[in-house]
Amino acid sequence: KESRGRRGDSPWLRCCGGGEPRPRTVWLGHPEKRDQRYPRNVINNQKYNFFTFLPGVLFNQFKYFFNLYFLLLACSQFVPEMRLGALYTYWVPLGFVLAVTVIREAVEEIRCYVRDKEVNSQVYSRLTARGQTPSPAGHELHQIGLFDLEVNCLTKILFGALVVVSLVMVALQHFAGRWYLQIIRFLLLFSNIIPISLRVNLDMGKIVYSWVIRRDSKVPGTVVRSSTIPEQLGRISYLLTDKTGTLTQNEMVFKRLHLGTVAYGLDSMDEVQSHIFSIYTQQPQDPPAQKGPTLTTKVRRTMSSRVHEAVKAIALCHNVTPVYESNGVTDQAEAEKQYEDSCRVYQASSPDEVALVQWTESVGLTLVGRDQSSMQLRTPGDQILNFTILQIFPFTYESKRMGIIVRDESTGEITFYMKGADVVMAGIVQYNDWLEEECGNMAREGLRVLVVAKKSLAEEQYQDFEARYVQAKLSVHDRSLKVATVIESLEMEMELLCLTGVEDQLQADVRPTLETLRNAGIKVWMLTGDKLETATCTAKNAHLVTRNQDIHVFRLVTNRGEAHLELNAFRRKHDCALVISGDSLEVCLKYYEYEFMELACQCPAVVCCRCAPTQKAQIVRLLQERTGKLTCAVGDGGNDVSMIQESDCGVGVEGKEGKQASLAADFSITQFKHLGRLLMVHGRNSYKRSAALSQFVIHRSLCISTMQAVFSSVFYFASVPLYQGFLIIGYSTIYTMFPVFSLVLDKDVKSEVAMLYPELYKDLLKGRPLSYKTFLIWVLISIYQGSTIMYGALLLFESEFVHIVAISFTSLILTELLMVALTIQTWHWLMTVAELLSLACYIASLVFLHEFIDVYFIATLSFLWKVSVITLVSCLPLYVLKYLRRRFSPPSYSKLTS
């Protein structure tokens, strides 16, 4: 949707092989069966290739009316009846704009190529018939920003004004003679109403903003992947963020071990350690004097044995592999043999697993070795316990549990260990009265809970299971179902050992960052796949929900009636954060989309848990459609890519889940806390600077167009240009370009102040820096100044027409330089250089402009006082108005600049 700044690909890509996605069959280990029609496994973020670059750039420039309009103007000068001056008057500005655009696109393409080459040169494993072998390795989507669409709308208004003025001029001639040619000549004559330099100024400004962001030492590592939308950062109303790896570090820390009757926290882990030490260091007892039936009865286990069983289960039931790196040990095999602690690192598919194994190491039971068929644990007494892995049942999102069957080599005992989510483990373990309650308590503390259980198997029992399991895996029909059925035959009446609770640590400065965003008027929605209790607790810990705010937990609904009742209950609450699960969200959006979004958008914060990637993208899309506000999505993993690409401004965090989100985003940051400065400082400055720059460029063109209109009306509505040749080109390039463009360095407050007072960001959310009101004000200023300069020159000129040109053009240049000085809020040394350099260039060039300006006249005192009076009349009232406005109605930031 172009009107919302949606991404879109180029037709040049489609003609070069891009198109609708098709299903693909991947042959693992059989390169000879590879279908060559499909592209290579490489990343390509470039918009063009060598052959399509120039045609593609030109097509993308001229497919919009703005540039096509100037191309038609330039081409019209080849027709003698329409020519108003030298050909270079129109072709040089157009060529300059196109040259700048081509250079900018080329730089972007080269940057993309270098970045792609870096990613594609990374090494990955390729599966072949001989096993795994290393092999070299991961289109960029471009947006049209809302600001560009608003500027485009203003240019359409200016085009309407151009047509109206041309028609009025011809009408005042009573449509005499070849009036239709006169209309075209007036359209050409007043073409400066639409500034050809507007687009190139804004594009160059974006490059400057992107460069400033990349060079900011306070947001190190930030990458601008889309330099077309930096202004979007200054107008975000909704921030949608992932939790794990974005708000949190994706680094799990073991926090709680619960055995039912007793729980151990961080402050009591030394007790767990002492229990483990007592088990492995106690002296063997003498055998009892008499044997009898009483000795075979089951006795109550001591607390040490219960803790030991729980820790051993946690140390064995996982998919973690210890890897030994050479750390001063030259022989790698020797390092592994010695199980050097300093050399060992744990590798696993989930950080939860690593956290659990690291914890068992801290309390005395260390995983020191593992391969496909065995595991080794080291006890506090440096004894190595060997276990044979008989079977392993990996974790899946469907089963939400994992299991392993091991044989203790020292005793021959076979044990089936299992751990998983409470929702599935509750029906597997033996009856108990504490599991559900304690799982809820731990989840409310923000812990990710796993239930650990075991089952002892006799040799005959395991052999029977293995035979049935192998037979099920060899089945041709319904293999998955049969395998699951065999496994489930073991998953009955298992002994509940313990609950484990791990916590994902918050990222640095998440709380102040979220508080800054909230004070800036940005509403934050957290979209996560975690369970409801964990997500709610994280929202509280991160201060996404303030302590004095109520939280409405949207209960699970499955049909229209339940959704209706729950929405009515939610409607009665005010200033209340909402927590809802993905299943309930789906039901609400199916039956009551409008009502739900209306209520949710009024909430200060929303948390969506158990949320699928497609739901994340759907929420972003609904927010855009229902509110019309700009959205920003931030995430760190592949499951956040759809949300990031759907948003108006995507931000990727380079985390531990890879670079999928970072590469898919418009902006890439290394930490969530950098988002505050990215929005409050760089976004705010980019938007305000572009707004000032665009309106000033329009003002610059309207001034000279007004002067042309006054000149034509005074001289009987003749379609004769006031300024010709180099004057018209030099006006918008050499004489005023640098001072006007220096507005991209302007700022109203220091960056520290912008961060300290995020309320300043609120002013931008209403779009006030660039609105119809500000546009109208600049139009009136342009009409006033253009009329003042032209009528002043007509009143004060002497004898020759060339004096009108000298007086009016000099006054116009001085007026523009003074207006830049009036617009600037914080002076930069480059601004001063630009002002003085432009003035010096104009004075120096007067010697070479004898074709248009009388050199002897400009050296007279008469010329100087006339130009001074005209310039003073055109600018002094505006300076007075600015002073009065600052005195009696100061802007919000002015109190902070003193």
Side-chain angles (χ1 to χ4, degrees), residues 48-118:
Y48 316 101
N49 59 37
F50 179 79
F51 299 101
T52 62
F53 175 73
L54 193 58
V57 171
L58 294 178
F59 175 82
N60 284 328
Q61 289 301 307
F62 292 124
K63 70 179 180 180
Y64 298 109
F65 171 78
F66 185 83
N67 289 329
L68 184 61
Y69 165 74
F70 289 108
L71 178 64
L72 294 174
L73 286 183
C75 290
S76 69
Q77 295 304 287
F78 290 113
V79 181
E81 291 83 356
M82 299 179 185
R83 182 176 297 179
L84 295 176
L87 286 176
Y88 69 83
T89 305
Y90 289 89
W91 281 101
V92 169
L94 181 62
F96 175 75
V97 170
L98 290 178
V100 170
T101 302
V102 169
I103 293 172
R104 181 178 65 86
E105 289 287 343
V107 171
E108 289 286 328
E109 286 294 287
I110 293 172
R111 186 178 292 127
C112 284
Y113 171 77
V114 173
R115 196 164 61 227
D116 291 346
K117 186 177 180 180
E118 179 184 351

Side-chain angles (χ1 to χ4, degrees), residues 524-682:
V524 183
W525 290 31
M526 186 174 80
L527 314 179
T528 177
D530 276 340
K531 64 188 300 181
L532 187 143
E533 293 87 355
T534 306
T536 304
C537 189
T538 302
K540 290 180 179 177
N541 289 342
H543 293 178
L544 177 64
V545 178
T546 59
R547 298 188 181 277
N548 57 355
Q549 280 179 343
D550 292 330
I551 299 178
H552 178 82
V553 179
F554 206 93
R555 70 181 183 88
L556 185 64
V557 296
T558 57
N559 54 56
R560 183 170 188 159
E562 292 177 351
H564 180 74
L565 293 174
E566 191 64 18
L567 282 171
N568 284 339
F570 179 46
R571 185 177 282 109
R572 290 190 288 269
K573 297 188 177 181
H574 302 284
D575 192 35
C576 179
L578 172 65
V579 179
I580 187 171
S581 67
D583 294 336
S584 299
L585 176 67
E586 190 173 355
V587 175
C588 289
L589 294 179
K590 181 178 180 181
Y591 297 108
Y592 297 103
E593 179 183 297
Y594 178 81
E595 291 83 356
F596 174 79
M597 292 303 299
E598 182 183 25
L599 293 172
C601 290
Q602 296 173 1
C603 296
V606 176
V607 176
C608 295
C609 58
R610 295 297 191 198
C611 207
T614 53
Q615 284 182 312
K616 293 183 177 183
Q618 183 185 18
I619 292 170
V620 174
R621 186 164 55 252
L622 288 172
L623 271 176
Q624 294 166 341
E625 293 173 352
R626 296 297 178 188
T627 66
K629 303 293 182 64
L630 292 184
T631 60
C632 175
V634 55
D636 74 313
N639 59 341
D640 302 315
V641 169
S642 57
M643 170 178 72
I644 287 172
Q645 291 187 333
E646 190 66 40
S647 66
D648 298 289
C649 186
V651 178
V653 180
E654 290 190 5
K656 298 184 177 179
E657 295 189 26
K659 290 189 175 183
Q660 300 100 315
S662 172
L663 291 172
D666 303 303
F667 302 89
S668 173
I669 57 178
T670 56
Q671 296 184 59
F672 181 83
K673 67 177 183 179
H674 294 163
L675 189 64
R677 186 172 178 88
L678 195 64
L679 300 182
M680 300 301 111
V681 177
H682 295 292

Side-chain angles (χ1 to χ4, degrees), residues 370-390:
R370 180 181 186 150
D371 55 31
Q372 292 184 345
S373 60
S374 66
M375 258 191 288
Q376 292 79 39
L377 300 181
R378 187 174 64 199
T379 69
D382 284 336
Q383 177 187 0
I384 301 298
L385 305 178
N386 291 289
F387 296 86
T388 300
I389 301 175
L390 300 176

Side-chain angles (χ1 to χ4, degrees), residues 31-49:
E32 70 279 0
K33 295 184 178 181
R34 185 173 55 197
D35 195 335
Q36 295 296 337
R37 292 178 305 160
Y38 293 104
R40 296 179 301 139
N41 183 29
V42 294
I43 264 196
N44 180 16
N45 286 311
Q46 296 169 249
K47 289 190 290 183
Y48 316 101
N49 59 37

Side-chain angles (χ1 to χ4, degrees), residues 31 113 166 172 205 355 379-380 385 387 436 445 456 583 599 612 633 635 661 709 747 804 809:
Y113 171 77
S166 300
L172 292 174
T379 69
L385 305 178
F387 296 86
E436 182 179 356
E445 294 179 26
S456 297
D583 294 336
L599 293 172
K747 57 182 178 182
I804 297 179
F809 193 75

Side-chain angles (χ1 to χ4, degrees), residues 828-875:
H828 188 281
W829 67 271
L830 284 175
M831 296 175 172
T832 306
V833 171
E835 290 270 274
L836 297 176
L837 181 63
S838 297
L839 183 61
C841 285
Y842 177 66
I843 294 173
S845 66
L846 288 176
V847 180
F848 306 100
L849 297 178
H850 54 82
E851 181 183 351
F852 312 104
I853 296 176
D854 185 349
V855 180
Y856 299 102
F857 173 68
I858 62 175
T860 63
L861 189 62
S862 173
F863 169 79
L864 293 177
W865 77 260
K866 289 175 181 177
V867 168
S868 300
V869 169
I870 294 173
T871 305
L872 195 64
V873 173
S874 69
C875 293

Side-chain angles (χ1 to χ4, degrees), residues 204-218:
M204 294 297 292
K206 294 174 193 289
I207 294 175
V208 172
Y209 309 147
S210 302
W211 182 83
V212 171
I213 292 173
R214 287 194 294 264
R215 291 292 297 261
D216 189 352
S217 60
K218 295 186 178 179

